[in-house]
Structure formats: C-alpha cells, structure tokens
Amino acid sequence: MSKGKVVVLGSNATRIEIQGGDTGPTGQYLNETVVPMMALVGADYEVLLATPSGAKPYIDPASDAVQHFGGDEAAYRRGKDFFANDPSTNQGRTLRSVIEEGLDNYAGVFAPGGQGPVVDLMQDPDAGEILRHFHAAGKPTALLCHGPIVSISALPRAKEFREALIQGNRAEAAELAKGWQYAGYRMTVYSASEEKPIEDNILHGKLYFYMPKTLDLAGAKTTVGPDFEPYVIEDRELITGQNPRSDHPIAAALIAALNRNRARA
C-alpha cells in the first residue's frame, strides 16, 4: 500500500548563461534525480516527475557516470534503467497539470540539481506555486545541490529577481526578495568553490551569480560543508543538500520527514 505521493520537480534547461553573453551546456544530474526517487519507491511512496514543458529532463552528460553512484556499476545501471523506463519518469506531466490535479494529493516535493534548475525552475511561476503550497502546508520540501535555488521561484517576481542578478543589480534583487517565504531558513546549496571545476572544464566561462550568495541575498541563512562531501540541513519543513554526494542522505532525511508527517496525520 502506498504511503503517499511525492512530486519531483524536473528541469528542461539545456544551456545556462555565462558572463560575456554566451551560454554553456547544462542539464539535470542523473544520480540526484534517481537515487532519491528510487529510495522513496523503496520506502513505499509513489513518485511523479514533472517539468515545466512536460518533456523529460535533459540529463547533464557530466552526471551520466558511474562515479556519481559511488563507483558501483550495478547501481549506475539500475539508476539509468529507472530514469529510462520507470512509469514515474515517463508520464509527460507538466508542473501546471500537477497543480490542476490538486497539490493536496501530494505528501511532499523534491527538486534535484544540476545547473538546469538555475535556468528554468528558479523563475518558473508553476514551481513557485507548488513550493508556496508545500510551505504553507508545512509538508516536506527537499531540494538538492543546485535545487535549493528553486526556492526563489516562490517570489512573486522571481523572473525579475533573476534578471537583476544577471545585470549585477544586487540592490534591486534584494528589494524584489522582500517577503520571501524562506527568509530566515537555514539552508545549504552547491558552493561557489564546487562550481569552479564546472566553469573551468565544461562551461569555459563564469556564471553570473553563485547559489549561496543568492540565497543569502534573498534572506536565507546559508552554510556549506567541505567541497564534494555529503551535507544536509533540515529547518522546519525544508530539507536541503549541498552536492551530488548528498543524494542518499537527503533521501533518508526526506523519507524520515514524510514518515513523521504521516504518523501525525
């Protein structure tokens, strides 16, 4: 018997802006998507992957590697098979359709990372509506790696906030962030130093803004642990993980939070 349903917010982005007006390749990380989803299924929760367009997320090739599964070839193959073939990842659902179906039908929400969410989910009004619902209901909200930046979508003028960051207008961004639902929350997110290898080796350029400073500008209390080591923070309904290696710990924290909520219901 299912314990409840969890909606997974996926990204459709394939390119991200870099300084100088160019773009670089990006996407969603495979392990960050499938490891928590598979753990939820194993804990008797249903999962549903939805994106802005309804198309499946583009998996960043940098993440399509056994190293992101602890070097375990069998785990890597299981993850790839789950993403390719599991019904939960292949329903073609849009974020809007999930909202119209009724968010009360869901026990929790999860957003994995890769830089893709920094492009679309961060400023997507449907993602914002979903997060505002779960925040108001106090239901578990788990955001991994770059995923915590999706919390910005809860702002009524998230697109303008993001554009102000790209234009280097931090004062305007701070003004647009007033009243953010997650102000004062303790969070973690992919660090600026962890971003550097991607900038150097994949993007061949620098991002316009970095995740910890962006969340702090909006009002979060952001801390990061050692680079590329698991690190998870829980504050109220919000669970955030720093990087790809936080995939198993955030899954365990989310399942525990869902179980606690279910026990109280």
Side-chain angles (χ1 to χ4, degrees):
M1 180 181 294
S2 170
K3 292 181 179 178
K5 295 198 294 185
V6 176
V7 59
V8 180
L9 310 185
S11 167
N12 294 127
T14 61
R15 308 287 297 181
I16 190 169
E17 306 96 330
I18 54 177
Q19 292 183 30
D22 203 353
T23 64
T26 196
Q28 184 166 308
Y29 260 44
L30 177 64
N31 70 299
E32 295 178 22
T33 305
V34 300
V35 167
M37 289 183 74
M38 293 170 71
L40 286 162
V41 170
D44 297 322
Y45 287 94
E46 298 175 64
V47 289
L48 173 69
L49 176 63
T51 65
S53 74
K56 287 181 76 167
Y58 173 72
I59 294 299
D60 190 329
S63 73
D64 190 0
V66 68
Q67 71 186 62
H68 290 295
F69 292 81
D72 185 333
E73 183 72 29
Y76 169 55
R77 293 297 169 191
R78 285 195 300 271
K80 282 180 69 72
D81 180 71
F82 181 90
F83 186 77
N85 299 310
D86 194 85
S88 66
T89 67
N90 287 287
Q91 293 188 23
R93 294 293 298 273
T94 64
L95 301 180
R96 176 46 50 182
S97 75
V98 172
I99 294 168
E100 291 172 351
E101 174 193 300
L103 294 174
D104 287 334
N105 294 324
Y106 291 87
V109 60
F110 168 61
Q115 291 172 328
V118 183
V119 180
D120 56 0
L121 293 179
M122 177 183 180
Q123 56 181 335
D124 187 274
D126 292 334
E129 185 173 343
I130 291 169
L131 288 190
R132 287 193 298 271
H133 170 88
F134 282 91
H135 170 75
K139 291 182 179 179
T141 301
L143 311 172
L144 176 58
C145 195
H146 289 82
I149 207 70
V150 181
S151 61
I152 294 295
S153 69
L155 290 171
R157 298 170 69 184
K159 288 185 179 181
E160 293 169 70
F161 174 90
R162 188 177 185 278
E163 182 59 29
L165 292 175
I166 289 175
Q167 297 301 324
N169 193 337
R170 293 178 60 83
E172 181 183 353
E175 186 67 25
L176 289 166
K178 287 183 176 178
W180 186 44
Q181 288 79 354
Y182 299 102
Y185 274 65
R186 293 182 299 108
M187 301 185 190
T188 190
V189 69
Y190 204 64
S191 70
S193 53
E194 288 172 319
E195 210 83 69
K196 192 174 188 307
I198 299 174
E199 291 178 320
D200 291 347
N201 302 313
I202 297 174
L203 299 179
H204 305 292
K206 291 189 175 298
L207 297 175
Y208 279 101
F209 56 88
Y210 296 100
M211 307 312 117
K213 287 187 176 181
T214 297
L215 292 174
D216 284 344
L217 181 67
K221 297 178 179 177
T222 308
T223 60
V224 295
D227 284 359
F228 304 111
E229 292 295 330
Y231 186 54
V232 171
I233 291 178
E234 294 187 59
D235 188 349
R236 288 158 278 187
E237 85 279 6
L238 185 65
I239 307 164
T240 51
Q242 180 174 330
N243 49 38
R245 289 195 63 200
S246 303
D247 54 356
H248 287 282
I250 202 171
L254 174 56
I255 290 165
L258 289 165
N259 288 342
R260 288 195 301 269
N261 264 24
R262 190 167 180 269
R264 287 195 292 263

